[in-house]
Amino acid sequence: MFVPSQKSPPDLKGFTLIMPVVAVGNVGQLAVDLIISTFNMDRVGHIHTDCLIPMAGSNPYSTGKEDADGVHTAAEVYISREMKLAVLQIRSPVIQKRTKKFRQVLVSWMKASGFSRTIVLSSSQAYQRDDRQLQGSPLRYLVTPSMLKLSEGALKELGWLEMEKVQAFPGLMDGNAEPRLYIPGGGITKGLYTDSCAEDLPLAVLLLFCSEGDNIPDAFTIINHLNSWLHLQDHPCEDPNKWKIPPSWTLMFGSSIPPAIF
Amino acid sequence: MATFFGEVLSVFSRAVEDEEDDEEEEEEEDRDILRALEDKRQVRVRWSSPLSPGGGDRLPRCPHLLLAVGPTASRFVSVYLLSRGHWDTVGQVCLWNERTVGSEEAACVLHRDKDNNVLVCLVDCFVAEDQLFQWTEQVMGCVDTTGLQVTVLSDCPAAEYRTAEPLGAAPVLRSLHTTSHKEAPCCPPVELPNLVTGLPAAVLSFCQLHHISAVLYQSYSDERCPDSSSMEVFRPAVSRLANALGLDLSPNVDLLRKFISQASVQSNLYI
C-alpha cells in the first residue's frame, strides 16, 4: 500500500506515472534514476509491501549533507508538480512467489491514484531474440487498448516497433499454436501488461533488448527513446550531459583496486 | 557478469526470474504442499508469560528497543550487556526456513531489563528474504511505538563495502538513521553507493514509514569469526544508551573467552 511521507497524501490525479520493472540489466530502474536525478524530484511516499526484498540506504540523489533525508526504501514515489509527473522507483527484486500479489498492489494503486497514463520501462534478454528481432532497432513498445486510444497518433508518427508475438515452440510445425507475447528476462512486465489490459488502464511498455553487463548506455538509450515521445527534456541527444547521473552510480562494479595487492 | 575491465564478477541474479505462466494450473496436492510449507515458514512471536494483565497483545511500554543482528553483534550484546545486571527472558521470535539447522525452529530471544527500560532481541539465525517483512511486522506490532527509540546493531563483511579508499584492517562502524532520529550518530554514515539489506533494512524501512526514531550501526570487518576487536567496535554505539540507563558496559571476560575459543577451534582445520 502507498504510505505518504507527509500527513496528507499528494493528489496525483491526472499525473503521468513512469515506473520501471526489475528486468535484465536493470535498465528501467537506471532510466528512472536518471529522471528523478535530472528533475530533482521530491519524494512523496513509499510503497509498503511484503512483495519486495527489503533494502535501505541514504539518499541516492544526494548532493550534500543538507539532502540527507532519512532512510530510502525499496519502493518510493517521487513527483514533479510542474511537469505533472510521478515516478515510482523500485530498488529491489520481487520475491518470486509474490509476483502476482505485487502486480495487484501496483494495479490497485494506479487505479486509486487516477493517473492519466502509465509508462513502464523494461527490458528483455537480447540472446532470446528471434530472426526478425535481431535486425534493426532493439527498442519495442506495447500499449493497452485504452492507451492506444490516447496515443495512437503519436506512436504512428514516432514509427516505433510493436513487440512481436512469437511461437511457443519455434520450429515445431503446429498450426494450432497461437503466437503469444513472450518477454524473457522481463520480470513482471508481461503480467503487468495483461493485468492492465484486463483492468482497462492506459498503460504503455517501452522495452529494450539487452544483456547483463554495464547497462548505463542502455539506460540512456531507453530514456532518450522515451523522451522522443514525452519531451521531458529538449534535445538531450545533442547534449548527453543533460541527463544527470546520480551519486549512487559510483563504484557500480565494486571498490577501487586495493594498492596492497601490488 | 563481465565488467568493463574484463573481470568476471559472480553477482546475485538481478531478479530476472520470469513469472510462471502456469500459476493457475497447479495440482491440488501441490497447492496443499505449498500451503503447508508456507504455514511452516510463518514467523511467530511466543511470549514467556501473558503480555499484560488484561491479556492484550502488546508489551508494556518500553522506551528503547535494541536489536542485534548477526553473530558479532549478538555476541557483543551477550558479552557486554546481558551478562551483567538483571535481565528477564520475555519471549522469542520463532521461525523456520531451509537454512534452519535441524527440524526445530530457530529462535531470536527477547530480553528485558528489570526496570522495563530496554527490550533486547538477539538475531543470530538466518531470516529468509520472504520472512523479513513478517518478522518486522510481528515484533514491531507487539511493541508500543510511542516515543520509541530503536537501535539496530549489525555486522557485515568488509569486502561488501564499496569505497574509493580501502577501509583498512581494523573493523569500522557506519550508521544510517531515520528522519525522526535527531541525535547525531557516533560514527560516519553509510556512504553511497552502499546499501543495507536483510533484517536491519526491514526494521529501518518500517521505522522510517512509521516515523519512529531509529538508528542502525553496521560494522564492517574482515574477521571470519567474532573476536574482541570486532565486538569492541560496537561499544560507542550503545555507550550513550547504557549510561542513560545506568547499565554496565564492561565485558564478561569468561563469556568473551568462551566465544573466542569456540571460534578458533572451528577455524583450525589441522587439529
Side-chain angles (χ1 to χ4, degrees):
Chain A
M1 62 175 198
F2 177 72
V3 175
S5 302
Q6 308 299 327
K7 282 203 173 76
S8 55
D11 182 9
L12 301 175
K13 201 170 161 57
F15 275 48
T16 294
L17 171 68
I18 298 176
M19 60 165 283
V21 157
V22 183
V24 56
N26 306 101
V27 172
Q29 295 161 280
L30 292 172
V32 162
D33 258 353
L34 287 172
I35 297 175
I36 297 169
S37 177
T38 303
F39 300 114
N40 207 21
M41 298 176 81
D42 298 316
R43 180 177 61 169
V44 295
H46 312 254
I47 302 289
H48 188 54
T49 173
D50 62 348
C51 301
L52 295 174
I53 297 174
M55 56 74 59
S58 53
N59 185 358
Y61 315 108
S62 169
T63 47
K65 247 188 180 165
E66 65 281 358
D67 286 309
D69 53 356
V71 170
H72 285 252
T73 62
E76 297 187 316
V77 180
Y78 295 77
I79 65 168
S80 165
R81 286 193 170 81
E82 309 80 53
M83 297 168 71
K84 281 200 90 173
L85 183 64
V87 167
L88 166 65
Q89 176 61 300
I90 300 173
R91 299 196 172 99
S92 65
V94 184
I95 291 168
Q96 190 152 11
K97 55 192 173 186
R98 295 185 190 152
T99 53
K100 191 171 176 183
K101 183 178 173 190
F102 186 57
R103 281 164 20 213
Q104 287 167 347
V105 165
L106 290 175
V107 167
S108 310
W109 176 62
M110 279 150 52
K111 280 168 80 170
S113 302
F115 295 114
S116 62
R117 56 187 174 174
T118 299
I119 296 152
V120 176
L121 302 180
S122 181
S123 48
S124 183
Q125 290 281 14
Y127 76 86
Q128 291 210 299
R129 287 175 289 176
D130 68 13
D131 293 344
R132 300 167 291 174
Q133 293 166 334
L134 278 171
Q135 297 167 39
S137 169
L139 290 153
R140 296 289 187 275
Y141 79 93
L142 283 166
V143 285
T144 59
S146 48
M147 184 63 149
L148 189 62
K149 284 182 208 152
L150 295 175
S151 312
E152 191 169 10
L155 292 169
K156 249 196 196 111
E157 207 179 303
L158 288 164
W160 283 0
L161 294 168
E162 195 172 1
M163 183 66 172
E164 300 89 343
K165 291 200 165 109
V166 296
Q167 292 286 342
F169 301 103
L172 286 180
M173 297 302 182
D174 183 351
N176 296 329
E178 281 284 320
R180 51 163 198 158
L181 187 61
Y182 180 52
I183 309 177
I188 63 167
T189 305
K190 181 183 163 185
L192 188 59
Y193 170 72
T194 48
D195 288 351
S196 302
C197 290
E199 297 286 338
D200 202 30
L201 287 171
L203 181 134
V205 176
L206 259 60
L207 68 83
L208 175 74
F209 292 118
C210 68
S211 304
E212 294 275 354
D214 180 357
N215 297 106
I216 292 175
D218 298 317
F220 279 101
T221 301
I222 205 168
I223 198 75
N224 285 323
H225 191 65
L226 175 69
N227 193 62
S228 63
W229 176 22
L230 295 186
H231 301 292
L232 300 170
Q233 283 233 73
D234 297 322
H235 313 297
C237 300
E238 291 166 11
D239 181 9
N241 294 329
K242 270 201 167 180
W243 297 111
K244 187 175 158 205
I245 290 179
S248 58
W249 284 20
T250 54
L251 302 175
M252 201 181 268
F253 299 102
S255 296
S256 315
I257 300 167
I261 67 170
F262 297 113
Chain B
M1 181 189 83
T3 69
F4 177 77
F5 299 104
E7 78 266 32
V8 176
L9 297 179
S10 56
V11 288
F12 175 78
S13 167
R14 289 191 276 179
V16 204
E17 298 287 347
D18 287 331
E19 291 190 284
E20 305 274 325
D21 272 336
D22 52 353
E23 279 172 352
E24 285 80 32
E25 293 169 20
E26 281 171 353
E27 298 285 339
E28 192 171 326
E29 194 183 335
D30 289 341
R31 274 203 294 274
D32 290 340
I33 293 169
L34 288 172
R35 213 175 292 134
L37 192 59
E38 193 66 30
D39 191 58
K40 195 173 176 189
R41 295 173 70 86
Q42 292 291 314
V43 177
R44 294 176 177 88
V45 184
R46 295 201 177 107
W47 300 104
S48 308
S49 54
L51 284 176
S52 59
D57 58 359
R58 280 205 165 177
L59 276 173
R61 193 170 168 271
C62 205
H64 296 272
L65 171 62
L66 176 65
L67 249 55
V69 183
T72 310
S74 341
R75 280 164 180 70
F76 166 78
V77 172
S78 298
V79 168
Y80 285 73
L81 214 59
L82 297 180
S83 58
R84 301 197 183 278
H86 184 80
W87 295 87
D88 297 316
T89 301
V90 294
Q92 46 192 18
V93 188
C94 302
L95 59 100
W96 178 91
N97 54 55
E98 288 74 18
R99 281 169 59 169
T100 305
V101 176
S103 58
E104 295 297 317
E105 290 177 323
C108 314
V109 185
L110 290 154
H111 305 269
R112 191 175 58 195
D113 71 314
K114 63 174 171 46
D115 298 323
N116 203 27
N117 283 318
V118 54
L119 184 67
V120 173
C121 183
L122 303 184
V123 184
D124 197 11
C125 59
F126 174 70
V127 183
E129 287 164 349
D130 60 318
Q131 296 174 312
L132 293 169
F133 186 92
Q134 194 188 24
W135 193 106
T136 307
E137 297 272 318
Q138 290 278 348
V139 172
M140 300 304 287
C142 297
V143 170
D144 185 346
T145 58
T146 317
L148 177 68
Q149 169 60 51
V150 177
T151 305
V152 183
L153 307 180
S154 171
D155 49 80
C156 204
E160 290 183 14
Y161 196 74
R162 298 185 185 193
T163 172
E165 299 296 328
L167 276 181
V172 297
L173 202 63
R174 292 289 182 268
S175 65
L176 183 63
H177 63 90
T178 61
T179 315
S180 305
H181 182 85
K182 301 301 180 194
E183 259 180 40
C186 65
C187 64
V190 174
E191 294 132 318
L192 288 175
N194 295 287
L195 302 171
V196 173
T197 56
L199 197 57
V203 171
L204 273 185
S205 299
F206 182 95
C207 292
Q208 175 70 26
L209 266 64
H210 292 85
H211 308 287
I212 298 169
S213 172
V215 60
L216 161 71
Y217 290 103
Q218 182 138 291
S219 90
Y220 294 90
S221 166
D222 271 335
E223 297 301 324
R224 224 169 44 82
C225 302
D227 65 2
S228 53
S229 63
S230 55
M231 286 190 231
E232 183 71 26
V233 78
F234 286 114
R235 191 200 274 265
V238 292
S239 57
R240 210 181 286 166
L241 172 67
N243 289 340
L245 301 178
L247 299 172
D248 185 0
L249 254 195
S250 44
N252 180 317
V253 176
D254 294 329
L255 196 54
L256 180 64
R257 207 173 277 141
K258 181 184 153 196
F259 282 137
I260 291 173
S261 62
Q262 275 173 354
S264 60
V265 165
Q266 284 162 19
S267 69
N268 194 326
L269 290 173
Y270 301 103
I271 292 179

